[in-house]
Amino acid sequence: MIRCLAIDDEPLALQQIVAYIGKVPFLELAAQCQSAIEARQYLENDTVDAIFCDINMPDLNGMDFVKSLAVPPLVVFTTAYSEYAVEGFRVNAVDYLLKPFGLQDFQRAANRLKDRFEASANPSASDNSLTSHPSPLTSDDNTLFLKTDYRIIKVSISDIVYIEGMSEYLKVWLDGESKPIITLLSMKKMEERLPDYFMRIHRSYIINLTKIQEVNKNRVIMGPDVYLPVGDLYKEVFQSYLNTKFLGK
């Protein structure tokens, strides 16, 4: 059984989480709290395996509460605001439940919680699983699977125009889309998964070479108002690529 702590300052929302925990056979409700401060006091005297925690709460929000824990349990955030997803990735949240959510959504999050719980309890099995199965990031064809917010999105690699590194996460800009996909991933890991028509031109940028519209001095133009710098460490390799494609004297 996975001992759970439910935290939400809204009584009806807290009641819903408690009810859903009771419907999942492998979850056990340890306690319920109506504030992060109350939850912190509970954890000073007891331990749990997982918490279902609202983010927007008075006095101390759920995100800061989790960050304040020396050894946080597994976390599923519940929130009405999807923009907290990137911040949540930084604290290694298992999943998000975007309000309003139903039992099916809760069951999905609970299953992910169970997988993470079992993996942490048996790390050798987790390692074997990783070596015997391909990375979930890639598939056998021209696609990637990227986790963003509370979803996993299938992306055609050829649709990627460029990738922008932003501290601990990436912005993946797609052809024809006005907003990027934001995902927790390192530039190095992404580089390793991309085919050879992608090139890193700056510590913060990887571009799809087939999407270049113009090269102007030390800038690569990828589209209207999209001007990306070429870093000093990458100039020589990028220029070598251009030389192989250049026609003229």
Side-chain angles (χ1 to χ4, degrees), residues 82-103:
S82 61
E83 61 264 27
Y84 282 108
V86 169
E87 187 70 17
F89 284 146
R90 293 177 179 173
V91 296
N92 200 26
V94 174
D95 204 357
Y96 273 80
L97 286 169
L98 193 63
K99 297 178 180 180
F101 55 85
L103 180 57

Side-chain angles (χ1 to χ4, degrees), residues 12-241:
L12 290 178
L14 182 60
Q15 183 180 344
Q16 180 191 44
I17 295 172
V18 169
Y20 285 168
I21 289 174
K23 293 179 182 295
V24 179
F26 53 81
L27 298 183
E28 175 187 356
L29 180 68
Q32 53 182 297
C33 300
Q34 287 191 266
S35 73
I37 294 174
E38 183 184 346
R40 178 185 284 171
Q41 292 171 346
Y42 174 84
L43 291 175
E44 288 176 355
N45 301 304
D46 207 339
T47 60
V48 296
D49 302 310
I51 60 176
F52 289 86
C53 185
D54 186 29
I55 293 178
N56 290 292
M57 293 186 289
D59 298 326
L60 179 63
N61 72 46
M63 196 73 67
D64 290 338
F65 163 66
V66 171
K67 289 179 181 179
S68 72
L69 299 176
V71 184
L74 298 174
V75 180
V76 174
F77 283 118
T78 62
T79 178
Y81 303 95
S82 61
E83 61 264 27
Y84 282 108
V86 169
E87 187 70 17
F89 284 146
R90 293 177 179 173
V91 296
N92 200 26
V94 174
D95 204 357
Y96 273 80
L97 286 169
L98 193 63
K99 297 178 180 180
F101 55 85
L103 180 57
Q104 185 175 358
D105 296 322
F106 186 88
Q107 182 70 62
R108 181 205 69 222
N111 289 337
R112 289 181 179 176
L113 192 65
K114 182 173 181 284
D115 290 343
R116 185 80 69 87
F117 178 75
E118 291 176 346
S120 62
N122 189 2
S124 60
S126 176
D127 291 342
N128 291 336
S129 174
L130 288 173
T131 56
S132 60
H133 296 284
S135 168
L137 182 66
T138 60
S139 67
D140 294 332
D141 55 7
N142 184 44
T143 57
L144 298 176
F145 290 92
L146 300 177
K147 184 176 180 181
T148 181
D149 291 348
Y150 54 95
R151 302 170 295 158
I152 295 178
I153 298 177
K154 182 178 180 180
V155 174
S156 293
I157 295 176
S158 58
D159 287 342
I160 298 174
V161 179
Y162 69 99
I163 296 154
E164 182 178 2
M166 302 289 290
S167 184
E168 299 170 351
Y169 59 95
L170 303 180
K171 289 183 177 181
V172 181
W173 294 88
L174 302 179
D175 206 359
E177 299 292 336
S178 60
K179 294 183 179 181
I181 295 172
I182 300 175
T183 186
L184 180 68
L185 200 65
S186 69
M187 290 286 277
K188 184 176 184 298
K189 182 65 70 174
M190 179 62 86
E191 261 189 302
E192 292 171 353
R193 295 294 191 261
L194 292 171
D196 57 9
Y197 58 88
F198 283 83
M199 180 180 291
R200 191 165 183 174
I201 62 166
H202 188 275
R203 64 184 180 86
S204 298
Y205 295 105
I206 300 171
I207 63 170
N208 183 337
L209 296 169
T210 69
K211 303 288 187 181
I212 294 175
Q213 295 187 5
E214 185 179 334
V215 179
N216 188 336
K217 296 183 179 178
N218 290 326
R219 297 190 305 173
V220 181
I221 301 173
M222 304 299 293
D225 301 318
V226 181
Y227 303 87
L228 306 182
V230 180
D232 291 339
L233 293 176
Y234 305 90
K235 284 180 181 178
E236 184 176 349
V237 174
F238 182 61
Q239 186 61 52
S240 296
Y241 164 77

